[in-house]
Amino acid sequence: MKRPAPRSVRPARLATLSLVSLASFVTVAASAGCSSDGSGDSVKKAVQEVEKQANAPFEVTYEVTADRPLESVEYENGGAAQKSVSSPRSPWRATVTLKDMTPPSVMATAAAGDAGAGPVTCRILHQGKVIKEQTAKGETAIATCVAVAPRP
């Protein structure tokens, strides 16, 4: 006897997700003070506030320390591409202004050929507080820090 082909549950899942999304929107709209009179002013103001916070600039400081030579440091500087610094001296530090919920990130790569050399550490600071830190060890040590964009 031949088994019937399995039914796809994908349409049911999509319908459920759509209903959950709609319910979330109604809840948010209701909590924002929207009424059914069609004005939408409260929703518009809430959207503008979210956009304002999402686009607000914020400043972070990247720090890299190492007990050995560094090959490079790459970091998010808010431009179209990440910035790269070749053979920086340790300790290395840069302060940048980011926006648009851009996640701050920095990656420090140890110079090759230094087997058994000391660790490489990266840090991301916001308002003087460390929001991300990582230390890497070994011959090909690469310390990578990526943080969530801080919000006011």
Side-chain angles (χ1 to χ4, degrees):
M1 178 190 279
K2 212 176 201 186
R3 287 184 151 176
R7 293 183 349 174
S8 173
V9 293
R10 198 171 286 174
R13 285 184 187 164
L14 289 175
T16 302
L17 286 173
S18 296
L19 288 174
V20 169
S21 297
L22 179 59
S24 297
F25 175 78
V26 170
T27 303
V28 169
S31 66
C34 295
S35 64
S36 59
D37 66 2
S39 66
D41 288 340
S42 296
V43 171
K44 186 182 279 185
K45 287 179 185 177
V47 168
Q48 288 171 342
E49 182 60 28
V50 168
E51 286 177 345
K52 179 181 171 184
Q53 288 182 9
N55 293 321
F58 59 94
E59 189 174 271
V60 294
T61 299
Y62 302 121
E63 292 181 346
V64 172
T65 56
D67 294 337
R68 62 206 269 181
L70 293 168
E71 181 178 312
S72 66
V73 172
E74 295 180 30
Y75 62 97
E76 179 62 56
N77 70 342
Q82 285 200 332
K83 181 129 177 146
S84 182
V85 179
S86 296
S87 303
R89 287 188 172 187
S90 176
W92 176 88
R93 185 180 179 110
T95 300
V96 299
T97 300
L98 304 173
K99 65 177 188 168
D100 300 330
M101 301 287 286
T102 302
S105 64
V106 60
M107 180 176 73
T109 304
D114 284 324
V120 176
T121 300
C122 64
R123 281 181 208 86
I124 301 174
L125 295 93
H126 175 65
Q127 297 178 343
K129 294 182 183 176
V130 176
I131 59 174
K132 189 68 176 183
E133 180 174 358
Q134 183 182 358
T135 299
K137 298 177 182 177
E139 185 176 348
T140 58
I142 300 173
T144 304
C145 292
V146 179
V148 173
R151 290 290 110 216

